[in-house]
Amino acid sequence: MLEELSVAEARHAENVGREVVLQGWVRTRRDSKAGFSFLELNDGSSFGNIQVVADGKLENYESQIKHLSAGCSVTVAGLLKQSPGKGQATELHASRVTVHGTADVETYPLQKKRHSFEFLRTLAHLRPRTNTFGAVARVRNCVCNSIHQFFQEEGFLYIHTPVITASDCEGAGQMFRVTTLDLANPPKRGPQVDFARDFFDRPTFLTVSGQLEAEIFACSLGKAYTFGPTFRAENSNTARHLAEFWMVEPEMAFCDLDGDMDLAERFLKRIFRDVLEKCPEDMQFFNQRIDKTVIETLRRIIDSRFVRLSYTEAVEIFRASDEKFEFPVDWGADLQAEHERYLTERHFKCPVILFDYPRAIKPFYMYVNDDGRTVRAMDVLVPKVGEIIGGSQREDRLDVLRERMLEQDLDPDDYWWYLDLRRYGTVPHSGFGLGLERTVQFITGMANIRDVIPFPRTPGNAEF
Ligand code: ATP
Ligand code: MN
């Protein structure tokens, strides 16, 4: 009986002796002088390939097998044997090789072994066939699985917050507008475009965060999380920003900032542990070829406690240091990447949770501390990547929240439903947002965020 196995399964010694069928893409072909060929086959199920031994007596050996090259797709039936070769437990002795698609050696772009990541970005439709992008895809998948498992085990409800929104939670300049108006001839009200005549009878945008809606569910059902794409039209061409990225946002009722930081720390450690356990081969690759410190870094983090430091204490540290910062660090200023990196890479050499930021640099919904000048915000900073989590305890006092909206030139009437949550059965509650791509970047050591999402959206780039 022929069994269909994945390459990952077929590579296990325990399957030696089985008659199996494998399907995938050829990575390389080598011919032996003794009249047979070796094919390296990969099907995406694992980093490693399986070696297929194709005998010269196979009926299509001369016509097809001998011409197989990188990128060709095949189905191979045969017997799994113990491999005499080093670094592989098994090999497949083919009894039949069916060729589905060839890949012209002259034109197939992945012929060469190594391409720059930059070049591969122009081949988003083929780059998943490379070692690196296969490994990134598996690690990303593992992280997503881990995210859901963690929150399910912790009793959170998975909810879906809208992609199209009328509320602007961080400032309209950074949002993509959603409209069906005829841009060449929009309806006008005076000199202004009349968005009251747009599809939703009001201006609408792609969401920058599901937080406000997640708060609705936390303030009704206790613990909830949303996980989906978010959009920011910030024109920042950095290695850590995308115009479309994925964010997971838990929100908890009856939880203060300390509880929020505890959750964030537990959550990250869980993700790191899962990746090390479930993707050892992929992580080995990243550790060898991308960044020699990633495995050690993750292991150390799992066993350590994150440093927790107030913004004010951080400013003291910058002041006392000999470091020449490009931007000065006066109390009240927003921190730059250089400051974050100084803390995580040089001063503490580990993840740092910064909390209690100046109220003037943080959004209206963050809880105002008794000192009146800081809010209960927290950012989780990690070496190299910088901020991967941003969160806060939410302002749950109606009067303070209204005051904060006015302070930031927001019209409380636009947020009547958000204020209702403070009007009826208000509770202390907290939450945060973790950027999925920054997490994958940190885990894998990949330098550019565009290489950890299948189809990066950045200024000027949306072809694939
Ligand atoms: P930054 O200051 O790094 O631009 P932010 O403070 O604007 O980030 P938040 O609004 O706090 O980000 O969003 C929560 C998390 O979402 C961040 O900690 C980060 O992991 C992720 N994130 C934010 N903006 C982006 C982006 N443009 N591309 C990818 N991930 C992002
Ligand atoms: Mn932030």
Side-chain angles (χ1 to χ4, degrees):
M1 250 293 279
L2 288 172
E3 288 175 274
E4 281 190 24
L5 291 192
S6 66
V7 168
E9 292 166 321
R11 290 171 64 223
H12 279 294
E14 67 200 28
N15 287 316
V16 163
R18 288 191 162 161
E19 296 267 4
V20 303
V21 176
L22 303 183
Q23 306 194 288
W25 292 265
V26 172
R27 284 288 175 86
T28 59
R29 190 198 81 241
R30 261 184 322 118
D31 300 325
S32 140
K33 292 204 182 69
F36 57 92
S37 298
F38 294 109
L39 306 173
E40 287 287 325
L41 190 69
N42 191 285
D43 67 353
S45 59
S46 67
F47 184 86
N49 309 319
I50 190 161
Q51 176 162 284
V52 174
V53 185
D55 196 278
K57 293 192 202 79
L58 290 169
E59 50 119 2
N60 59 344
Y61 184 77
E62 290 297 331
S63 61
Q64 288 186 303
I65 296 171
K66 258 191 91 168
H67 307 286
L68 287 172
S69 56
C72 296
S73 50
V74 293
T75 295
V76 184
L79 178 64
L80 275 182
K81 293 190 178 176
Q82 197 179 337
S83 170
K86 256 219 197 123
Q88 57 197 34
T90 66
E91 60 186 25
L92 180 62
H93 288 248
S95 52
R96 180 164 45 80
V97 176
T98 309
V99 179
H100 302 281
T102 57
D104 187 351
V105 188
E106 297 299 316
T107 59
Y108 184 58
L110 301 182
Q111 224 36 264
K112 207 177 81 180
K113 262 251 151 131
R114 292 241 214 141
H115 293 286
S116 74
F117 293 144
E118 218 162 0
F119 173 70
L120 288 172
R121 273 174 229 146
T122 68
L123 297 174
H125 63 307
L126 293 174
R127 69 176 185 171
R129 299 181 183 197
T130 64
N131 279 336
T132 306
F133 290 91
V136 167
R138 282 183 296 272
V139 167
R140 188 179 162 110
N141 173 69
C142 177
V143 171
C144 292
N145 191 28
S146 191
I147 286 169
H148 283 298
Q149 278 186 357
F150 175 82
F151 286 121
Q152 293 298 326
E153 286 165 17
E154 296 254 344
F156 283 68
L157 275 181
Y158 178 33
I159 56 156
H160 302 96
T161 49
V163 166
I164 299 174
T165 172
S167 64
D168 152 11
C169 143
E170 321 260 317
Q174 301 200 337
M175 301 185 90
F176 289 100
R177 183 181 291 282
V178 174
T179 181
T180 54
L181 293 180
D182 177 1
L183 292 183
N185 186 23
K188 292 274 181 72
R189 197 168 167 187
Q192 308 274 347
V193 173
D194 186 7
F195 286 105
R197 288 166 64 189
D198 203 347
F199 190 91
F200 295 105
D201 299 347
R202 63 179 69 229
T204 48
F205 307 89
L206 293 179
T207 185
V208 294
S209 160
Q211 177 201 319
L212 302 190
E213 294 91 349
E215 280 186 55
I216 293 176
F217 277 79
C219 292
S220 311
L221 302 166
K223 289 193 263 188
Y225 71 107
T226 178
F227 184 21
T230 41
F231 305 85
R232 305 221 175 150
E234 51 198 347
N235 200 350
S236 43
N237 260 306
T238 78
R240 307 179 308 130
H241 288 91
L242 292 162
E244 176 179 324
F245 64 97
W246 280 64
M247 185 151 63
V248 52
E249 295 174 275
E251 192 70 35
M252 289 170 288
F254 308 102
C255 177
D256 62 10
L257 192 72
D258 289 324
D260 204 31
M261 294 194 274
D262 291 342
L263 183 83
E265 182 167 343
R266 216 161 55 239
F267 178 44
L268 285 174
K269 287 178 177 174
R270 165 63 183 273
I271 293 173
F272 299 160
R273 201 178 301 124
D274 281 351
V275 172
L276 286 178
E277 190 189 311
K278 294 176 184 166
C279 304
E281 224 185 354
D282 295 315
M283 287 307 299
Q284 210 60 55
F285 166 78
F286 290 117
N287 205 62
Q288 275 164 15
R289 302 290 279 272
I290 304 295
D291 177 341
K292 299 211 178 329
T293 65
V294 283
I295 291 183
E296 171 60 22
T297 301
L298 295 179
R299 285 217 182 102
R300 242 191 13 244
I301 290 176
I302 290 168
D303 296 325
S304 70
R305 231 181 105 66
F306 293 7
V307 168
R308 297 185 189 187
L309 190 74
S310 73
Y311 169 93
T312 304
E313 291 168 309
V315 170
E316 290 306 320
I317 290 177
F318 302 137
R319 284 233 183 86
S321 87
D322 300 328
E323 191 81 6
K324 295 265 172 294
F325 294 110
E326 190 183 333
F327 295 93
V329 270
D330 291 328
W331 198 97
D334 216 348
L335 299 185
Q336 306 293 325
E338 56 173 346
H339 309 124
E340 299 178 349
R341 297 188 67 153
Y342 176 76
L343 289 177
T344 56
E345 292 169 26
R346 315 211 22 200
H347 194 83
F348 293 111
K349 299 190 169 65
C350 70
V352 173
I353 310 185
L354 271 188
F355 61 91
D356 285 356
Y357 283 75
R359 76 189 270 171
I361 58 170
K362 288 293 181 185
F364 68 90
Y365 51 73
M366 296 185 176
Y367 189 94
V368 180
N369 277 313
D370 290 343
D371 65 11
R373 9 183 255 159
T374 59
V375 290
R376 303 240 76 191
M378 65 102 173
D379 278 0
V380 180
L381 313 175
V382 294
K384 291 177 190 162
V385 174
E387 180 193 328
I388 58 171
I389 283 181
S392 64
Q393 182 173 331
R394 319 307 187 187
E395 185 53 75
D396 57 71
R397 297 161 296 187
L398 184 61
D399 51 332
V400 183
L401 186 59
R402 287 181 60 95
E403 187 193 316
R404 287 278 284 155
M405 286 178 167
L406 296 171
E407 188 177 301
Q408 303 201 352
D409 289 328
L410 297 169
D411 183 354
D413 288 346
D414 291 345
Y415 294 87
W416 63 273
W417 51 269
Y418 191 69
L419 292 167
D420 264 5
L421 301 179
R422 281 74 181 165
R423 216 170 256 130
Y424 308 119
T426 191
V427 286
H429 62 288
S430 303
F432 61 77
L434 169 76
L436 174 64
E437 287 75 17
R438 294 221 187 139
T439 308
V440 177
Q441 243 190 309
F442 178 67
I443 290 171
T444 59
M446 293 294 286
N448 197 310
I449 197 166
R450 295 160 203 223
D451 299 327
V452 295
I453 187 166
F455 304 100
R457 298 289 176 258
T458 53
N461 293 303
E463 181 171 4
F464 298 91

